[in-house]
Every structure is written in structure tokens, then in C-alpha cells.
Amino acid sequence: MPRPVPLLFVSLITLAGVCRGATSDTPDFSREVRPILSNYCFKCHGPDDKARKAELRLDVRESALGAAESGAKAIVPGKVNQSELVARIFSKDPDEIMPPPATKKELTAVQRDVLKRWIASGAEYRAHWAFVAPKQAAPPEIRNPTSWRRTGQEEAGQRASQSPIRNPIDAFILARLESEGLKPSPEADRFTLVRRVSLDLIGLPPTPEEADAFVRDPAPEAYEKLVDRLLASPHYGERWARRWLDLARYADTNGYEKDRNRSIWPWRDWVINALNADLPFDQFTIEQLAGDLLPNATADQIVATGFHRNTMLNEEGGIDPLEYRFHALTDRVATTGVTWLGLTVGCAQCHTHKYDPIPHREYYQMMAFLDNADEPDFDLPPPDAAAQRQAREQQLAKLLAELPGRWPADGVGLEAKFEEWLVRERGRTVAWTTLRPVEAKSNLPLLAVEPDGSVFCSGDITKSDTYDLKFSAVPRGITAVRLEVLPDARLPKHGPGMAYYEGPKGDFFLGEFQLGADGQPVKFAGATESYAKNAMGKNPVSAALAIDGDPQTGWSTSGREGEASEAVFPLASPLEAARELSLRMVFGRHYACSLGRFRVSVTTGSRPAEAREMPDDIERLLLIPDAQVTAGDRGKLREHFLLTAPELAAHAKAILALRKPAIATTTLVLRERPADHPRPTFLHHRGEFLQPAERVEPAVFSFLPPLPATTGKPGRLAFARWLVSPENPLTARVTVNRQWAILFGRGLVRTTEDFGFQGEAPTHPELLDWLAVEFVKQGWSLKKLHRLIVTSATYRQTSRTAPELLAKDAENRLLARGPRGRLEAEMIRDATLRAAGLLSEKIGGPSVYPPQAEGVSEVAYGSPKWNASSGADRYRRGLYTFIKRTAPYAMLTTFDAPTGEACIARREASNSPLQALTLLNDVVFVEAAQALGKELASQPGSIEERVRTLFRRVLTRPPTDDEVAMLTHFLQTQKQRFEAKELDAKAIAGDGPGDANERAAWTALARALFNLDEAVTRS
């Protein structure tokens, strides 16, 4: 449900509207009237027809002007005394007054007067501002365009001077300030500016040397050069990726109870790289929602679709995977709504939205765009895959050539053993004929017959799947049936099973294997398998248990994921003649684990058939008479013998490992289902998984521009393109507002996640629209947008404020001063590590485990250990910290970082004593302070010089003389306490060279500086 708008805010908006409209009796509908109707009336008289009272709808003018059940009209334009709405809101009768007392929402006298004057003036309705396409109005005229006085750090020898408006942003801001009788603040000093813009653009503070270079640069365009350098930094992508990950609900584990690890960090790296390359935001969007559907999609574009694979995944054994897939879809719909449309779309899952014009049905029509995708793992080869392959082939040839020479000299001779093996294996080999299904059906998974006669299964699976196959052109005299379970790169962990939730990925469990001939059951004499292992417990598994009539017992090959195995089922008596064979296979136990790829074949030979490990090509060669075997074929047989001989097992293991393809990692992606097997989408009554109703087709919300005409059924790609089409009034607005909010601490629309009726109105609507249009005109470039904002005079103002301005605009809604706010959690950690000289600037790669207090992760399922990374990985940026949803990294959580369980469009910033304790005592901050303590204790120079060095590394700016004096006194006092044994120096300073008391004193001083408000604040 949407978060209710506070009554105080509604009152303030109304009062503000009254003040602005004091010269007119006509209230502004968008700013004054609709917020009242939305917050007080729409719940019972809004879009939701099932919750509507008295058949009165107040969000649509035609309905509001119609007659209610009583026959009276709620609104009669221009006639207050005939309007039932006025009578009800002014009534003293508890049975008549609106809103009813039970709602505990009472209109103020000002609000009642607004509604009364609105009706008196004609009850004009206007479309909601956010649903109307933005137009780029010319920047307003300014009475005093040079009023942005520039003070602070100036070029050497220059006095404070008047500075013109720097770009159109300033014109909009200054025009509003002038209308409010306010003046902007002067420009911040250069040390403040360089720290502010560095933190904002790359998430790291400048080094003292970088700050000095900017401060001393006399060029008029010095600041612009600084901004361009930061935008070109590879750390830019890291800084802005972190906030995109908030929206994507990124984490390194699946969530829910078991919360096992997942590999999706390649998608995170794709985001970093895309932002660094300034991939246009429209393409950035399309690739993440539908990169797999682009023509000739690249590996990177497929990886990009991981955006919507960040949903949580329940691995509990008793769950219905289809139910949790539904929950994942509702999460994707809500996340899409917040991220691109800025709407609380998720409120329409269970019923028509109470406030915004999103019908219940249209919610599921939007879901249908996302519903037709499967969710595979995607293999990613190492960057040097070609070189590795060549090296492997060379090594493989060398080891194969050496293999005969490693035959043990004290045993039976190699050639004699080979001949013995040939005789034995030829005696065991039977001829198999692949049966190609003429029909392959299941209760839910999609079964597709491959060119080699095997069956590939995709799509959704349940805890009890049944495959039904039919075969014609059946050979006479069948004596045995073989089932080969085959690996496939399209399956989880390469199969052969489809298990993805509980148990090993790629596992399967065959509970029943039933054969029929012309409608009659066929009996088996028994069964053998080449390999069997149970993933769940110690209960035995075997092919024989798949023909015992009990679906709870059966065959599995757990531990052999990515490899082939087989089971052979001899018939009790030969099947002499049959027009048609039918095969039913039943899968599953208490979790979903169906087969992903398999092949069925039969033999008509009289020789006993049994399952064994034998590649198809070797098996075919063994069936050829010895006189007809070519020298090349004999070489293949000999090589296979060498690789399977027990005498050479140790050497063969290395060779077999080299034959496996090199895979660097996997990531989670989307893959569209076959066009001829679309997944149907249904409206769900009350939003419940178990209450599907009528089927729906993909469609966008009716109150927004329609999809462009397409041939065929529109899908994810058409939907993604629609989101970033010029006709869509929301996406550009929502995106620029979110960037503004990150840079200023508050959006032009404060409710960055809600541009609907319950969201706040923009403080500067013309500026928001100007930015939205400019963003699109500039090619959807985020870097250009960020440059435009941070080079404005608005952004460059000092954040210091006078008491009278603070009293008039405490939240800085009017932007009469620069941005100020606490650093984000990751920035606090990164800035500290950079100040200490510990920060690793490596970009990308798997997530790491920085040190933290023991016991944090042990609260999660299975009490997993948090084994801290070593070396440079110990000090990677916070962006790369491993995120475990059920036990997130404590330091980041303390400073309000998200856990990856939900889409977060706006981070909240809290203040708590625990934060101060963390800055003093967390392992990372202690190690950073110790590193600085060791360095400064051994540095040459006076104490005052070293104090200044430490101060600047933490805070950027030079300290004042008074600050140096206070810090020096603190340092000396601490040193005296350590020398007097009041405090344990080694406990503070750790191990290291030199005097422990000296190191401990400097460590204590660094800890104190880390805990300063200025150290964790961007001002």
C-alpha cells in the first residue's frame, strides 16, 4: 500500500497554495484541491470500484458531477448550496459528516474552505501534473541576474566579485527565491567545493594533493576541469552503480530462510562499466529489461538482464516453486513501477489502486510483459578464454602422448591389457536405437525434441512433474530400454536435472519409469544404473527403485551435475510387436527436481544389457568387427582405454579435467520462452497466488500513452522501449529527480518513489520539466546531466545558513543554500580507508568479506562463518562488500544501507549512538586509525605539521590554528595517559615498529577525527 501523506504536509501545501493564490478566489486544483481529495476522499470515492461507497467517484469530474445514490449531486459547479459534498464536509451530524469520524481524518477549516471556493469557481479538474508530457519552458527572467554573489576562495589577488547565473538551472531557482523574497547563498569555498563534488561524483574524498591542485588553479574554468576529470574517473561508475543497486535490490544471496549464496556480481560489474561508458539511459534501460531480445544480443547484453534476477529466491523444501515465482513477479512489477515510472504500482496487486488510476486488471497486464521469461544461469568464460583453450589443448596433447609411457612396468603389459579390454567390452556392448518421440507432453514444463532425438525440458517445474512421451515406428523384439540423462549448458549447473531451488542445482529425482505398448503396461525384469547418489539424506537411490510403484523412491545422480549417466531397464520378456510405445516418467519428492535433458533408446539384441560409462562414439566403434576398424578408430579406442584404466587413474584425472571448458563464473539472466509456448498470465483475485482468474494479455496503463503499433504480441522489448519513449511523461522526470535527490539530499519531488496522487508536488515544476526534456535532448546522458547540475551556481552555494533562513525553510526546499547531509554508508567507510591509505582501488570482481565483529553472520541459517578477506580485498570499496540478506554487513546497515530485500528509491538517514560507537570501535575504523597512527608516529616534522597532515587527510580542508592547538593538546594528553599506563597502548595501536605510546596517541587522535560530524558529512 502507498505510504499515507502526513496530514501536516497536506495542511502546509494547502496553506502555501492559499498564500500564493491570495489574489484569487480560485484554488489551484493540482496543488491545493487534489491533495485534499486524494488523502481524504479517494479511498472510498476513488478508482477502486470494489471499495467505492455510494457509487460516488471523485477522481473523475464526470462522475463527481453526477447524482449519488440519494439523487443529490456531490458537486454542482458554481453552486455551493446545491453541492452535497459541501453540505457533508460542513455537517455537524456524525452520521452525515465526511470524512466519517471512524476514519479519524478530519478536514481543517482551511481545507473545507478550499473545497468550497473550488466548487464556487466552477470545480475545474486538471490532469495530474506527472501524467502530462513535460514541456521545456524558457528559463524565467530574473530581476537581478547577478545576485549570486561569489565569495569565499578567489583567485590570487582578486576581490569578491559578482558572478552571473551559470546555467538555466540557476534561473529557475533564483526566480523562485525572488518570488519568496529570499536571496541565494554565496558560493562555497574551494576546499568545500572540491570535497563536495568529489564525494558526489565518485564517492571518494579528494586527497590533500588533489584538493590543493584545484584550489591553486587560477583558471576561470578550474572547477569545470575538476568536474570533467571526476566524470572521466573509473570510480564514477562505482559511485553511481551503488544507488542503482538500491533500486535493483541487489544482494549476493537468495534471501528467505536458507539464504544461500548466488553469483550475480557480473551484473553489478556490467552496471559499473555501463555508467563509466555513459551508456545512454534509454539503452541502459532496454538492455536491463530485454537485452536478450535485441538482435544478435551480445554476452554483455544478456548479462544486463540480471536486473530483474535480483529478486529473492526461496529454497525451502516444502515450497511451491510456482508460488514463489509469482511472488518474484509481483516484486518485479513493483520495482519496475518505482524505478522507471515513480509509481506505487504494487498497490494494485490485490485491488484497483486506491489513489492512482491503475486498475487491478492493468496491473496484471503489465505483469504479462515480464512473465514470459525463463530464469537460467548464464556461463561466463574467463576474459582470456581463447588463450586458456589453446594452452589446455597443448597441455592435453602433451599429457596424452606421455600417458602410455606411464603404464606400470611391473604389471601386465599395456598392449595385452588393451586387447583384453577390447574383448571384454565388445562382449558387453549392445546396439541401441534411439527412439525419437512423436509426442512429448508434461503437466507444465516445455518438452522439445532435439535433432539427436533427445528431449530438452525448459520453463516451470513443480514438486511433482509428469512427462508423457509417445513413440511410433517401434522395432520388433525389444529386450531393454535405456534412459540417458544428459548435461546441457542451458540447464542449472549444466543439468542433467532442472532442480534450482532446494537441493543441488542441476539435480533430478526420477520416482517412476513406466512403459506401455499399445495401451498395455510393459513389465521390467530389473534395472541397472551407471551412477546413483541421493542428495537428501542416506536413503538409497537406484534405477530399480524407479520401477517399484512408489514415486517416493527412485533414481538420482546427485554430485554428477554437468555429466551424463544412464539407466537400463531390461524387459521381463521381449516385446515382439507394438505399433506405439508410451513412456511416463514421474519426478519430484518434496522439492522440484525434474529432468532437463534425456534420451530414450532400445535394443533388440539377446545379449544382456546393463548400464555403464561409455561415450556414444566409443560404443559405436566397439560394435564394428575388428577387421573393419581403421587405425584412427583403433587409436580412439586405445585412448579411451588409457583414460579409464585403473592403473592410470591418477594421470587420467588431470587429462579429463583439461577437457572441461573453462568457466570463470555464472550469473543470473532472463531468457524469453519459445514463441510457440508463451507462458499465460492471469489476473489473481485479491492478489493471491491460489486465486487465478481470467487470462490477460500484455498492455500498458491506459492513463499513459499507448504502446507503438507492433506486429504480433508485444513483449519485454516493446515494453522496455515504451518506458523510455519520448511520449512517456514519467521516466525522464523520475530519473532526473532521483539524480537531483542524490546530489541535493532531497528531490524536486521529495517522494522520489511516488509521482502519483499521494506523492508530493514538485517544489520547482518548471525546472523539473526543463531538466527532463533536456535529459532526453542530450541523448539520455547521465554524465551530462550530472555535469549540468554540479556546475550550477545552485549546487555551488555554501551550505551554511542564517537563523532566519533556517526558520523560514528548514528543509532547504527553495534551495537558498547548498546541499548538506550525512554521507552514505559506503562513502563513510571508503573515505576512511582512503584517508588511511588502505583503500584498494581495484574495480569489479567477486564480492569480498571485509572484517567485522564475530557473530554477525552466525545468526543466519546454518550459522555461516564470515571469513574476512585478506590482502587488498580486505579494503575494497563498500560497493563490493558481500551482501547476505538475512545477516547484512553490520557497519553498512548501521548507517542505513539497504539489505537487498526491496527496491529502495530513497535512502533514509538516521542518527543513533550506535553509529558513533561504530566509528570508534568497528574493526575497519580501528585498523584505519592504526594505519594512520603508525604512519604519523614515524613521520618527520613537528607535531603541529603532522596534526595538519592528519586533519587534511580526514577532512580535506586545512585546520585553523585553534583546531591545531586543540588537537595537539588532545594528542599529548593521550600520550601521557599511555605512558602512565592508564590505557593499554598496544590494545589501541596494535603491533608495529617504534614507540607504542606514540603510535597509540596518534591512533587515538585519528579515531577522534573519524568520529567528527564533519568527517561523515558532505557540506
Side-chain angles (χ1 to χ4, degrees):
M1 292 297 295
R3 181 183 50 78
V5 175
L7 300 185
L8 175 60
F9 170 71
V10 174
S11 301
L12 289 174
I13 287 290
T14 304
L15 287 169
V18 170
C19 293
R20 285 195 298 273
T23 59
S24 172
D25 288 335
T26 304
D28 183 279
F29 179 76
S30 296
R31 291 181 176 274
E32 300 175 67
V33 179
R34 184 185 278 119
I36 300 173
L37 295 176
S38 178
N39 200 50
Y40 291 87
C41 308
F42 285 179
K43 184 174 182 180
C44 297
H45 304 292
D48 190 352
D49 54 357
K50 293 183 179 179
R52 194 174 301 132
K53 306 294 185 183
E55 295 301 317
L56 174 62
R57 184 172 180 178
L58 293 176
D59 62 317
V60 177
R61 190 174 195 269
E62 291 74 15
S63 175
L65 269 54
E69 285 181 347
S70 63
K73 292 186 177 182
I75 296 174
V76 181
K79 298 181 180 180
V80 173
N81 293 336
Q82 297 180 26
S83 299
E84 185 70 11
L85 185 148
V86 176
R88 291 297 188 98
I89 64 175
F90 281 95
S91 175
K92 302 298 182 182
D93 186 340
D95 294 329
E96 296 287 336
I97 191 172
M98 289 291 162
T103 65
K104 297 183 179 180
K105 285 189 172 186
E106 182 179 355
L107 291 170
T108 66
V110 172
Q111 291 167 337
R112 288 195 293 269
D113 181 65
V114 167
L115 294 178
K116 181 178 178 181
R117 288 189 293 111
W118 169 61
I119 293 175
S121 66
E124 178 190 15
Y125 275 71
R126 291 183 182 176
H128 184 53
W129 65 269
F131 303 156
V132 178
K135 295 182 179 179
Q136 192 172 44
E141 293 290 333
I142 305 300
R143 291 194 297 270
N144 182 12
T146 60
S147 63
W148 228 301
R149 183 177 297 277
R150 188 174 172 202
T151 60
Q153 181 74 33
E154 298 291 334
E155 288 80 5
Q158 291 187 354
R159 296 178 302 171
S161 63
Q162 298 290 343
S163 178
I165 288 174
R166 297 184 182 276
N167 66 41
I169 289 174
D170 304 326
F172 290 100
I173 299 300
L174 195 52
R176 179 68 188 279
L177 291 177
E178 287 182 346
S179 70
E180 300 284 346
L182 297 174
K183 293 183 179 179
S185 298
E187 183 175 293
D189 68 86
R190 282 202 164 192
F191 282 111
T192 297
L193 278 180
V194 69
R195 179 178 172 84
R196 178 191 296 174
V197 76
S198 294
L199 287 166
D200 276 344
L201 291 184
I202 66 171
L204 296 171
T207 64
E209 295 75 20
E210 291 170 338
D212 289 343
F214 166 65
V215 170
R216 294 169 184 164
D217 188 347
E221 67 280 4
Y223 180 76
E224 287 72 15
K225 290 193 301 182
L226 168 65
V227 169
D228 290 339
R229 177 177 64 80
L230 294 171
L231 290 172
S233 167
H235 300 306
Y236 169 87
E238 293 179 308
R239 187 273 186 273
W240 291 96
R242 179 56 264 181
R243 295 307 295 265
W244 188 255
L245 267 55
D246 288 6
L247 294 163
R249 59 269 189 255
Y250 174 85
D252 293 294
T253 59
N254 289 332
Y256 293 111
E257 179 215 24
K258 289 184 172 55
D259 198 24
R260 291 193 176 100
N261 294 4
R262 62 169 49 169
S263 175
I264 197 169
W265 60 264
W267 171 80
R268 177 248 289 150
D269 286 1
W270 178 89
V271 174
I272 296 170
N273 295 332
L275 291 170
N276 275 332
D278 200 19
L279 183 69
F281 186 78
D282 57 345
Q283 189 67 19
F284 184 72
T285 294
I286 290 168
E287 292 190 14
Q288 290 185 85
L289 292 180
D292 59 310
L293 296 174
L294 292 171
N296 303 312
T298 66
D300 278 351
Q301 289 170 333
I302 295 172
V303 169
T305 63
F307 178 89
H308 269 323
R309 289 301 310 279
N310 283 294
T311 46
M312 294 198 295
L313 181 69
N314 195 334
E315 299 176 283
E316 296 177 46
I319 63 104
D320 182 343
L322 298 182
E323 178 183 4
Y324 280 88
R325 186 184 180 279
F326 173 75
H327 294 328
L329 275 171
T330 59
D331 172 59
R332 289 169 188 166
V333 173
T335 296
T336 301
V338 169
T339 301
W340 282 279
L341 300 175
L343 296 175
T344 54
V345 173
C347 295
Q349 176 187 340
C350 305
H351 47 71
T352 291
H353 203 292
K354 297 293 185 185
Y355 305 98
D356 297 335
I358 307 176
H360 187 43
R361 181 182 183 86
E362 291 186 7
Y363 170 91
Y364 287 97
Q365 289 177 320
M366 178 174 163
M367 178 185 284
F369 285 114
L370 305 175
D371 194 16
N372 200 41
D374 287 334
E375 303 174 3
D377 291 2
F378 184 63
D379 292 336
L380 289 170
D384 59 343
Q388 285 195 31
R389 182 170 59 252
Q390 183 178 4
R392 280 200 314 274
E393 289 173 353
Q394 293 173 353
Q395 181 70 1
L396 188 59
K398 178 176 179 293
L399 292 177
L400 283 171
E402 295 174 348
L403 197 56
R406 299 187 180 278
W407 188 267
D410 56 347
V412 179
L414 169 59
E415 296 305 323
K417 196 76 170 180
F418 173 50
E419 293 298 332
E420 177 186 324
W421 176 84
L422 276 176
V423 171
R424 183 176 69 252
E425 293 303 323
R426 281 173 173 155
R428 297 174 58 197
T429 303
V430 298
W432 293 100
T433 301
T434 297
L435 293 184
R436 185 180 181 86
V438 295
E439 186 178 289
K441 296 181 178 180
S442 78
N443 58 306
L444 189 61
L446 305 179
L447 308 187
V449 181
E450 300 283 286
D452 64 352
S454 66
V455 178
F456 177 74
C457 314
S458 62
D460 303 324
I461 57 176
T462 73
K463 291 188 291 184
S464 182
D465 284 334
T466 300
Y467 295 178
D468 287 302
L469 294 91
K470 290 184 179 179
F471 309 92
S472 59
V474 180
R476 295 177 63 86
I478 295 174
T479 56
V481 179
R482 180 174 69 173
L483 173 66
E484 297 172 270
V485 295
L486 305 171
D488 194 290
R490 295 168 289 180
L491 297 171
K493 212 172 179 180
H494 293 189
M498 297 176 71
Y500 190 81
Y501 293 85
E502 174 71 355
K505 277 187 178 183
D507 194 16
F508 73 93
F509 186 86
L510 174 61
E512 285 295 301
F513 187 86
Q514 301 167 346
L515 186 67
D518 296 332
Q520 299 299 315
V522 175
K523 292 185 178 181
F524 295 111
T528 58
E529 71 283 329
S530 60
Y531 173 84
K533 185 179 179 182
N534 188 359
M536 308 296 291
K538 298 180 180 180
N539 293 333
V541 289
S542 68
L545 293 174
I547 56 174
D548 65 353
D550 182 359
Q552 295 300 309
T553 62
W555 179 47
S556 176
T557 62
S558 180
R560 288 282 295 273
E561 290 75 37
E563 299 181 46
S565 299
E566 65 178 46
V568 172
F569 303 88
L571 274 56
S573 59
L575 191 61
E576 292 301 334
R579 293 186 302 275
E580 181 181 83
L581 286 183
S582 62
L583 176 63
R584 167 166 287 191
M585 293 187 285
V586 180
F587 300 95
R589 296 172 85 179
H590 65 288
Y591 65 97
C593 49
S594 304
L595 251 180
R597 189 174 180 186
F598 62 91
R599 182 167 54 212
V600 177
S601 52
V602 296
T603 183
T604 57
S606 59
R607 183 179 295 168
E610 59 181 358
R612 58 194 186 132
E613 302 282 353
M614 189 66 68
D616 288 348
D617 58 339
I618 300 299
E619 193 170 58
R620 285 192 292 270
L621 292 177
L622 288 170
L623 292 169
I624 300 174
D626 190 60
Q628 299 177 20
V629 175
T630 66
D633 289 342
R634 188 175 181 84
K636 292 179 182 178
L637 289 167
R638 189 169 183 271
E639 181 180 296
H640 179 76
F641 160 71
L642 291 171
L643 291 173
T644 56
E647 294 86 344
L648 298 174
H651 303 292
K653 185 177 181 181
I655 294 173
L656 295 173
L658 283 170
R659 285 183 166 175
K660 294 182 178 180
I663 298 173
T665 188
T666 61
T667 192
L668 309 180
V669 299
L670 295 178
R671 180 179 63 207
E672 197 73 353
R673 288 164 64 95
D676 56 345
H677 287 89
R679 181 185 283 112
T681 303
F682 299 91
L683 180 149
H684 286 254
H685 180 59
R686 299 177 62 87
E688 295 182 4
F689 166 69
L690 293 177
Q691 295 197 51
E694 69 270 18
R695 183 171 178 174
V696 297
E697 298 298 326
V700 298
F701 297 144
S702 58
F703 68 91
L704 293 174
L707 277 174
T710 58
T711 56
K713 183 177 178 180
R716 269 186 299 127
L717 184 56
F719 177 62
R721 287 172 170 160
W722 172 83
L723 283 173
V724 289
S725 64
E727 294 75 26
N728 191 321
L730 286 167
T731 301
R733 275 193 183 113
V734 169
T735 304
V736 299
N737 184 68
R738 192 162 53 233
Q739 310 310 304
W740 188 280
I742 294 171
L743 292 169
F744 280 92
R746 177 192 177 97
L748 296 170
V749 177
R750 188 186 69 85
T751 51
T752 54
E753 72 287 352
D754 189 359
F755 275 47
F757 292 168
Q758 290 291 94
E760 287 193 13
T763 55
H764 299 76
E766 296 83 6
L767 172 58
L768 178 63
D769 282 7
W770 189 92
L771 285 169
V773 174
E774 187 69 13
F775 182 45
V776 177
K777 283 170 60 176
Q778 295 295 329
W780 296 87
S781 168
L782 284 171
K783 284 192 175 183
K784 289 180 180 178
L785 175 65
H786 291 152
R787 190 184 195 280
L788 180 68
I789 295 174
V790 302
T791 56
S792 67
T794 304
Y795 175 85
R796 293 166 67 165
Q797 295 176 99
T798 180
S799 61
R800 295 180 181 178
T801 184
E804 57 271 20
L805 179 58
L806 193 62
K808 189 168 185 177
D809 186 16
E811 296 182 2
N812 198 25
R813 292 164 52 88
L814 302 176
L815 297 164
R817 60 185 183 275
R820 186 181 190 279
R822 201 202 63 210
L823 296 180
E824 296 163 23
E826 297 86 355
M827 284 190 193
I828 293 173
R829 182 179 178 277
D830 297 348
T832 301
L833 291 176
R834 187 175 228 205
L838 296 175
L839 182 68
S840 166
E841 297 193 358
K842 176 186 174 184
I843 295 176
S847 297
V848 296
Y849 299 80
Q852 67 173 340
E854 292 185 6
V856 173
S857 63
E858 281 84 344
V859 301
Y861 176 88
S863 301
K865 293 292 183 182
W866 183 274
N867 298 315
S869 300
S870 59
D873 282 351
R874 190 178 181 90
Y875 304 114
R876 298 288 305 280
R877 291 192 68 169
L879 169 72
Y880 302 112
T881 297
F882 187 89
I883 301 175
K884 186 172 182 65
R885 284 182 162 115
T886 55
Y889 187 65
M891 178 266 149
L892 298 181
T893 304
T894 300
F895 286 94
D896 309 304
T899 62
E901 294 169 290
C903 171
I904 301 297
R906 175 169 43 133
R907 286 196 185 189
E908 300 293 346
S910 64
N911 279 312
S912 71
L914 184 58
Q915 293 168 351
L917 292 172
T918 298
L919 293 172
L920 283 171
N921 301 313
D922 184 88
V923 181
V924 170
F925 295 95
V926 170
E927 289 185 0
Q930 289 173 340
L932 280 170
K934 293 175 184 178
E935 181 180 346
L936 291 164
S938 61
Q939 267 188 3
S942 67
I943 290 178
E944 288 78 9
E945 290 173 340
R946 285 181 282 168
V947 165
R948 291 179 186 276
T949 297
L950 175 59
F951 188 95
R952 294 208 56 198
R953 285 176 65 167
V954 177
L955 303 178
T956 304
R957 68 175 176 85
T960 65
D961 291 342
D962 286 345
E963 287 169 334
V964 171
M966 285 189 292
L967 294 174
T968 301
H969 175 72
F970 176 84
L971 177 74
Q972 292 171 338
T973 300
Q974 294 302 306
K975 187 176 180 181
Q976 291 169 3
R977 296 182 68 189
F978 288 123
E979 290 172 345
K981 305 299 183 184
E982 291 183 33
L983 298 171
D984 185 349
K986 283 199 171 183
I988 300 297
D991 296 327
D995 180 46
N997 296 329
E998 181 81 6
R999 286 187 286 106
W1002 283 104
T1003 300
L1005 180 58
R1007 292 174 74 190
L1009 286 172
F1010 289 156
N1011 216 321
L1012 290 177
D1013 176 73
E1014 187 176 349
V1016 296
T1017 302
R1018 182 208 55 170
S1019 59

